[in-house]
Amino acid sequence: MAGKLDITEADRARVRAAVEAAESKTAGEIFTVIAGVSDDYRIVPLLWATLAALLVPLPLLLAGFFSDPWTYPGDDSMAGFSAVFVYLVQLVVFVLLAVVLSLPAIRVHLVPRSLKEDRAHALAVQQFLAHGLHMTEERTGVLIFISLREHYAEIVADAAIAKKVDQAVWDAAMRDLLAEIKAGRLADGLIAAVGHTGAVLAEHFPPRPRDANELSDDLVLI
């Protein structure tokens, strides 16, 4: 599963139809978002490069590069020269690693899984608020969020739903969704997740008389 948003207009139409069908059976509101990536993680390569540069003096010390590492540089011209040399090596190591590790194909593999999940969750919450899912009349908005680069999927439910539906219900649906995406069936997996979400909402929040569609049914790509 890559970060590329590989979904056609026909797929988007299918997702929209699935949302419309699911919402016809519930007072809940379903909103879908797919992100190619949740963060650029530019700071991560710099942190790795900094750590490597800071460790440069250690092997030099262990190898006896300094005749007396505790000697004040002014007391020993070689010690002063060595300090400059080590500084230059550190600088070169930092610059080279910062450039190489910042390449997108490499950078993504340096990011800890926990950080990827934190960034993806933060973007999911941001999208939930940005699209007004917390402002529906009965607080029944549900966001189905996918971040491809992070291999992450989440359902963010508003207050009224969270009181009635256990998080484990959503977690199971998201595991199934991720399995479909890994198999190359992004649209099919999302449509299945919409159907599952609609069934859960229909159980707890049946349609109301003169129920209005408060949120767009279109799939949002970011």
Side-chain angles (χ1 to χ4, degrees):
M1 183 168 53
K4 182 180 179 182
L5 291 172
D6 187 15
I7 190 165
T8 66
E9 287 302 317
D11 289 332
R12 297 183 71 177
R14 291 171 57 210
V15 172
R16 178 184 176 88
V19 172
E20 291 173 347
E23 289 185 348
S24 68
K25 302 173 184 177
T26 176
E29 294 286 339
I30 301 173
F31 198 85
T32 55
V33 174
I34 299 178
V37 62
S38 292
D39 194 282
D40 58 20
Y41 305 106
R42 292 187 183 277
I43 190 64
V44 174
L46 298 180
L47 293 176
W48 283 112
T50 300
L51 177 61
L54 289 174
L55 292 175
V56 163
L58 182 58
L60 297 176
L61 287 170
L62 295 177
F65 186 84
F66 299 107
S67 58
D68 183 0
W70 299 106
T71 300
Y72 180 69
D75 298 336
D76 186 340
S77 61
M78 279 300 296
F81 175 80
S82 299
V84 172
F85 177 78
V86 171
Y87 167 74
L88 292 176
V89 172
Q90 286 181 299
L91 185 60
V92 170
V93 168
F94 172 80
V95 172
L96 287 178
L97 286 180
V99 171
V100 173
L101 298 182
S102 293
L103 296 174
I106 297 176
R107 182 171 63 210
V108 67
H109 298 293
L110 302 175
V111 183
R113 180 63 190 171
S114 59
L115 179 58
K116 290 181 181 179
E117 292 181 351
D118 286 345
R119 291 292 188 270
H121 173 69
L123 182 58
V125 173
Q126 176 187 328
Q127 289 296 303
F128 184 91
L129 298 174
H131 293 286
L133 274 77
H134 61 303
M135 299 178 66
T136 61
E137 184 178 354
E138 299 294 330
R139 301 297 299 272
T140 55
V142 177
L143 170 67
I144 301 177
F145 175 84
I146 301 169
S147 189
L148 297 179
R149 180 70 72 181
E150 285 76 12
H151 297 194
Y152 183 89
E154 180 180 4
I155 286 182
V156 183
D158 207 351
I161 298 172
K163 290 179 180 179
K164 295 187 177 182
V165 181
D166 190 89
Q167 184 61 38
V169 174
W170 305 130
D171 291 342
M174 292 301 94
R175 283 193 295 269
D176 292 342
L177 171 57
L178 287 174
E180 287 292 301
I181 297 174
K182 289 177 182 178
R185 298 185 291 268
L186 173 56
D188 291 340
L190 182 54
I191 289 168
V194 169
H196 178 91
T197 302
V200 173
L201 293 177
E203 179 182 352
H204 297 283
F205 303 93
R208 302 180 305 239
R210 298 181 298 280
D211 196 14
N213 189 13
E214 300 180 67
L215 298 173
S216 171
D217 298 330
D218 291 326
L219 170 62
V220 174
L221 304 178
I222 59 175

